[in-house]
Amino acid sequence: MTMPRIVAHPDRPYVGVLRTITMTTFGEVADRIPELIAWLGRQGLALAGAPFLRYRVIETAADRLEVEAGVPIARPVDGSLAEEAGFFAAALPAGRYATVTHHGHPDRLAGVIGDLLAWADKEGLTWDLAERDGVERWGCRLELYETDPRVEPDPANWDTTLEFRLA
């Protein structure tokens, strides 16, 4: 894991799909990333960064998550065009993000997330997060998948960047 740092981002357009899942049904959203990339290719749109998962709602006790799979693009796309394909067009919000990169299997991200949360707490940082009755609603909490699994099939060699928006 690299040392956490703070970066500033402008709005970043993307195309995505949203699903309500559990910890055991992640594939229902994550497995849509290749479909999103293929659709963008058919539209003549290039990726403008790493595909990601965006965690909107985390309700640990109920094992319920609202998660988007998304692919960043250089310029906004017509929302109705995306909707026809079963996707949506949106933008990740501008702002300051705490970020860290993990090299290794994505199954080990829980520890990296814990370390990032602890670092931010120690630094006195506040997340773009509303929490009530055990339900976390994140303004923008991302896992960016930097490694193309077609090029590097071994998950132990993958790089994943976490970006959590600050309040």
Side-chain angles (χ1 to χ4, degrees):
M1 177 178 101
T2 60
M3 281 300 299
R5 60 192 177 94
I6 297 173
V7 298
H9 287 298
D11 285 344
R12 295 174 281 173
Y14 71 100
V15 174
V17 61
L18 173 68
R19 292 286 180 269
T20 299
I21 58 170
T22 68
M23 290 302 287
T24 57
T25 61
F26 252 94
E28 291 178 18
V29 69
D31 293 349
R32 301 290 304 274
I33 290 173
E35 186 182 341
L36 282 162
I37 293 170
W39 180 81
L40 288 169
R42 289 192 301 274
Q43 306 309 309
L45 298 167
L47 277 64
F52 60 84
L53 293 180
R54 179 181 182 182
Y55 294 76
R56 287 195 166 267
V57 177
I58 301 173
E59 192 173 355
T60 305
D63 190 23
R64 180 182 161 279
L65 304 106
E66 289 180 22
V67 179
E68 296 176 8
V71 179
I73 50 179
R75 62 184 184 350
V77 66
D78 180 350
S80 60
L81 188 64
E83 287 173 19
E84 288 174 14
F87 307 130
F88 63 84
L92 298 172
R96 295 171 54 238
Y97 288 76
T99 184
V100 66
T101 299
H102 164 68
H103 179 79
H105 200 291
D107 286 353
R108 293 194 165 66
L109 279 173
V112 178
I113 291 167
D115 291 347
L116 179 61
L117 296 173
W119 172 82
D121 187 51
K122 187 177 133 215
E123 295 293 317
L125 301 171
T126 304
W127 301 115
D128 180 5
L129 166 67
E131 191 172 359
R132 197 171 99 189
D133 299 327
V135 179
E136 299 177 2
R137 297 184 186 282
W138 288 84
C140 196
R141 176 177 165 162
L142 303 171
E143 290 177 5
L144 298 109
Y145 299 97
E146 308 288 354
T147 306
D148 185 336
R150 297 169 300 182
V151 176
E152 174 51 71
D154 183 356
N157 293 320
W158 291 358
D159 289 319
T160 307
T161 299
L162 302 176
E163 288 187 355
F164 295 6
R165 189 168 184 244
L166 298 169

